[in-house]
Amino acid sequence: MSYVARADRPADKAARYAEVAEEIASVLDGEPNRIARMATLSSMLADAFPAFFWTGFYLVDEAKQNELVVGPYQGTLGCLRIPFGRGVCGAAAAQQKTQVVPDVHAFPGHIACDSRSASEIVAPVFDAEGKLIAVFDVDATEKNAFDQVDAEWLERILQRAFAA
Ligand code: SME
């Protein structure tokens, strides 16, 4: 089943998220490797929602304080490193809070890895101890692609995958 994410169809979108959340949990069951889990989650979400143009993780770089380094993703070339506080990913990391950006060109300091990105959502990713380990970034080529339904479901999926 394919579904084109649109903020004006929240009910359909929530139903699709509910379905894919179960599929992800089932595929990840018993796999302890974090990179394998991130790669699988990115692939399954990108495949479930055709509007997801860039879908993936930026990891907190343990070697460098306050810097993100690109992790597993689906999509066109992403920037390799993002300092905390820069762009949407950096804001999500610094504030440890999901950012929903209807128009990336109106976001101060937005990092344009691909000029086709028009809207974006970035959620922080925590481990079981509540430590920030990454952010999960989804970009769309349409403006206003993401809303509170995406924020709630992505947070739930990430919590189950990395903090449970
Ligand atoms: N647009 C992001 C950068 C990462 S990419 O789009 C893959 C940002 O401003 O955080």
Side-chain angles (χ1 to χ4, degrees):
M1 178 178 147
S2 76
Y3 170 75
V4 179
R6 276 175 46 180
D8 59 344
R9 286 167 48 188
D12 293 2
K13 186 159 66 175
R16 187 67 187 108
Y17 269 116
E19 221 167 41
V20 77
E22 289 311 312
E23 290 164 9
I24 290 169
S26 146
V27 174
L28 296 187
D29 188 37
E31 175 51 65
N33 185 280
R34 194 178 270 170
I35 296 296
R37 297 175 74 82
M38 289 180 171
T40 302
L41 191 151
S42 302
S43 168
M44 292 181 77
L45 280 173
D47 191 46
F49 295 101
F52 287 18
F53 173 69
W54 198 96
T55 311
F57 291 86
Y58 278 91
L59 315 178
V60 175
D61 189 345
E62 296 295 343
K64 286 201 168 191
Q65 283 275 303
N66 299 331
E67 195 165 284
L68 297 165
V69 61
V70 77
Y73 69 94
Q74 299 274 316
T76 57
L77 180 65
C79 319
L80 268 66
R81 290 184 175 271
I82 300 174
F84 276 37
R86 262 209 71 201
V88 188
C89 290
Q95 297 170 31
Q96 305 205 356
K97 199 166 164 284
T98 299
Q99 313 286 313
V100 177
V101 180
D103 177 0
V104 294
H105 302 294
F107 190 92
H110 169 251
I111 304 161
C113 295
D114 189 312
S115 58
R116 286 170 288 182
S117 287
S119 59
E120 179 164 1
I121 183 167
V122 183
V125 183
F126 302 101
D127 68 9
E129 278 74 54
K131 184 178 149 219
L132 182 78
I133 55 168
V135 299
F136 183 67
D137 177 10
V138 185
D139 292 13
T141 55
E142 306 259 311
K143 282 187 192 173
N144 296 303
F146 306 106
D147 58 17
Q148 240 358 78
V149 173
D150 298 279
E152 278 163 28
W153 274 101
L154 291 177
E155 285 171 6
R156 193 174 300 165
I157 290 168
L158 293 164
Q159 201 274 341
R160 197 167 168 188
F162 301 104

